[in-house]
Amino acid sequence: MNKNSEYIVEMKNCRKIFPGVVAVNDVSLFLKRGEVHALVGENGAGKSTIMKMLAGLLPMDGGEILYEGERFEPKNPMQALERGISMIHQELDLVPQMTVWENIYAGQEKLIGFGVIDRKAMINNTKQVFKELGIDLDPNSKVEELSVAQMQMVAITKAIAFDAEVIIMDEPTSAITDREVEQLFRMIKLLKGQNKSVIYISHKLDEIFQICDQITVMRDGCLIDSKPASELNQEKMIHMMVGRELSNLYQKDEPVSAEYDANEVLLEVKGLCRKGEFSDVSFEVKRGEILGISGLMGAGRTEVMETVFGLRKADSGTIKINGKEINVKNPQIAIKNGIAFVTEDRKIYGLNLMDTIRANTTMAYLKKVLYGNLVLNFKEEKKVVASLFEKLRIKAPSQETIVNNLSGGNQQKVVLAKWLMGEPDVFIMDEPTRGIDVGAKAEIYKIMDSLAKKGKSVIMISSEMPELLGMSDRIIVMHEGVITGRFLKNEYDQEKLMACSIGGK
């Protein structure tokens, strides 16, 4: 073991093959001690796959790994952890029913003797680490009671408690607020100061330049280049990632087609209230309009839209579609009246991950491809799915591909395909580009723009300021369940939106 070598990790000519696809093809990556190393690329580029090989989650099909100068072949994650390599996954692997301290010490419990765990020592150690990291959490809290950001902090603390030398963070900020991102960055700087190494996977390019020393870019399973962050900018990095220029990322630049009345109100919400969540929420959306909904996590944005879609029941208020008041008791009524809802968490609420693209695409409007009301018309179903498959440029071997095997961007396209099949008038999109790469984002924005031009209404909940500013015709801001700001296009900027998000008017 050579702890004085320049690199703590050397991955040389690594290769991973899945049935029908080379996921990682002859990729090399070198990580220095005390370095924050960004690993970037579009969804499906192979970033998570190569990191799973390092973390013992996947066996390699070629190449070698040197750890502290010695050949390293982890057979499972515990072997990697014992050597000091910890991976924090995008889908956090915590046990909700267990306490914070129990999750942190799961698999490495401290013992008094004779198999008796030292509960007091583990709680005190957790408190000490939290104090050092500036985390305000009770070790005895149940994980299921925590916010996503707090869960993220617990996962990082778990890696530190294992005394990891290399910490892999896969999309650590995909579901947390700007304020919580700042806390995460403070933790990363603290780790760096302790000569720990961090591999940072993210689609948020501005973050990479704030926190990372080195940037490695992958595309289609191959290494494109690795450079110091100081030698790159966002434009250069995007070109390396996608292999093409992405000019005019935000496509909302043309008016609604002349065949539609741009003043026609498709959705009108008045005085909507739900005790403990939101009150007196009123807004309208016109044909061809993209309405942005801004606000911090917990502002009530998602809760309002879930009520409009019938997932929650309002205590009072009215909802009108095309001027007609409807009682949205459940999602079936919303769908029948032309409302679609692209949920925030596509994996839990938007898709059946273990089924095919075809089955996922037709699940919401299955009646459209039935003989009568009972028998599935396979030929018609495949025809409909093929059309949407081509229209949305879904990257997959066929429509029979299992959705779980797709990249995040292509999974999001399947969710959109599911709703496009029904040709609804109102599309509610909750964080539509969360966890997908810049190339896939550009394609989602084009889809949103095309929907607006065809006279559809789009409601976009987003925590990404550039996305809100670039795509919205109007923006409303929420804070603690009430609307605190309403802005027309060209009236808003980042400072005004943030002021309203924290309670100003």
Side-chain angles (χ1 to χ4, degrees), residues 214-230:
Q214 184 79 9
I215 299 172
T216 293
V217 181
M218 291 180 66
R219 185 170 75 233
D220 298 330
C222 300
L223 174 70
I224 300 302
D225 208 345
S226 187
K227 290 181 176 291
S230 58

Side-chain angles (χ1 to χ4, degrees), residues 278-348:
F278 54 85
S279 62
D280 197 25
V281 172
S282 300
F283 64 90
E284 61 181 35
V285 198
K286 297 176 181 177
R287 276 200 182 276
E289 183 176 44
I290 296 179
L291 174 67
I293 311 290
S294 180
L296 301 177
M297 289 179 70
R301 304 170 302 171
T302 296
E303 289 79 1
V304 168
M305 294 308 154
E306 287 182 347
T307 304
V308 171
F309 192 65
L311 289 166
R312 297 170 187 254
K313 182 173 173 53
D315 295 322
S316 59
T318 60
I319 299 169
K320 290 183 179 179
I321 291 286
N322 293 310
K324 176 188 173 185
E325 185 174 335
I326 57 171
N327 181 13
V328 192
K329 293 185 291 186
N330 54 54
Q332 287 74 23
I333 293 173
I335 293 168
K336 187 178 178 181
N337 283 275
I339 304 175
F341 189 15
V342 178
T343 53
E344 179 180 6
D345 193 325
R346 59 180 171 267
K347 293 191 175 183
I348 295 177

Side-chain angles (χ1 to χ4, degrees), residues 19 51-52 60 70 142 208 216 238 243 264 266 289 322 376 390 396 421 426-427 453 455 459 474 478 498:
M51 287 300 100
K52 285 177 180 178
M60 292 198 302
E70 292 184 348
K142 290 280 183 72
I208 287 166
T216 293
I238 289 171
E264 182 185 352
L266 285 185
E289 183 176 44
N322 293 310
L376 182 64
E390 183 179 355
M421 179 182 168
V426 178
F427 285 80
K453 287 174 186 171
I459 300 172
R474 285 187 300 124
M478 292 189 66
M498 185 52 67

Side-chain angles (χ1 to χ4, degrees), residues 403-422:
V403 168
N404 195 46
N405 295 333
L406 300 178
S407 68
N410 282 297
Q411 286 180 351
Q412 190 71 336
K413 288 181 184 179
V414 175
V415 176
L416 288 170
K418 175 180 73 175
W419 293 116
L420 287 171
M421 179 182 168

